[in-house]
Amino acid sequence: MTTPATPSGELRPYLRIAAFAGWLCAAIILVNTAKRAEILPTTAVTQLLAPLAQIFAIGFVLGLYLASRSRRGGLLTVGLIASLASVAALVGVEFVINLVFAYLEPSQVEALRGGPLGTALTVASILFIVAAVVYAAGLWRSGAPRIPLALYAAATFPIGLRALVPEAALQVSLVVLAAAVVWLSAALWRRA
């Protein structure tokens, strides 16, 4: 992060842990993307790995907030809360997609999507987009690196709207998101 203050000694390990969580998140996003592109086979291991991207993202998101502690504002705090809520919801989405839908017939999946689960999936996707944009805007104001923030925010639109965009656009967006997370994680590591 580009804030002038050097983090205190007690904050440094947390920033490093958050950076490492970001790198793990990005790695799993890339595994998920390779699985979607059929570069990697869909196996029990790749299905179980999928939700871990969002779990590691929680630590990454918190680390970005900690790194911005000297320039926090209302927008950043709202973005943090919304981002944590959206990422937590996406953990559930990934469990459903990878560990439930993968083992059902297409007609069963459609029936589930036609009910309250479909509404919950849509709400989680919209919350992800809005939260990421608000959080990126708050981080932007706090002095975080701007190019990866812009990439992060832009990538969330096709990802959140995955049912409406072509598969190729979704895969490119996942790679862009992973690159932005790697970049921001490197900034966290340097900040520490």
Side-chain angles (χ1 to χ4, degrees):
M1 314 309 287
T2 58
T3 54
T6 303
S8 68
E10 79 178 43
L11 187 58
R12 286 184 179 136
Y14 297 111
L15 295 181
R16 290 208 169 138
I17 290 168
F20 191 65
W23 289 323
L24 290 172
C25 170
I28 296 169
I29 290 170
L30 292 175
V31 167
N32 291 342
T33 305
K35 182 179 69 172
R36 290 186 71 89
E38 298 178 353
I39 295 168
L40 289 177
T42 299
T43 65
V45 172
T46 59
Q47 296 295 84
L48 285 168
L49 273 178
L52 293 179
Q54 286 75 17
I55 292 170
F56 288 123
I58 292 169
F60 167 71
V61 166
L62 286 169
L64 291 173
Y65 186 77
L66 285 175
S68 302
R69 72 184 182 141
S70 63
R71 295 186 181 174
R72 288 184 194 150
L75 184 64
L76 183 61
T77 302
V78 168
L80 169 71
I81 293 166
S83 288
L84 290 175
S86 74
V87 172
L90 290 177
V91 171
V93 168
E94 287 297 321
F95 273 111
V96 168
I97 290 171
N98 289 282
L99 302 173
V100 177
F101 285 179
Y103 299 99
L104 298 177
E105 296 296 323
S107 61
Q108 293 172 306
V109 171
E110 284 305 312
L112 288 170
R113 286 186 182 206
L117 179 60
T119 302
L121 296 174
T122 301
V123 168
S125 293
I126 292 169
L127 179 60
F128 173 63
I129 295 168
V130 172
V133 170
V134 171
Y135 197 45
L139 288 166
W140 185 289
R141 290 175 61 188
S142 77
R146 297 204 164 163
I147 294 171
L149 283 177
L151 293 172
Y152 178 84
T156 62
F157 285 90
I159 294 167
L161 301 171
R162 72 174 71 199
L164 306 173
V165 300
E167 182 64 24
L170 174 59
Q171 290 176 14
V172 167
S173 297
L174 288 166
V175 171
V176 168
L177 179 65
V181 170
V182 166
W183 193 337
L184 289 166
S185 296
L188 279 175
W189 188 269
R190 283 191 305 271
R191 173 85 202 253

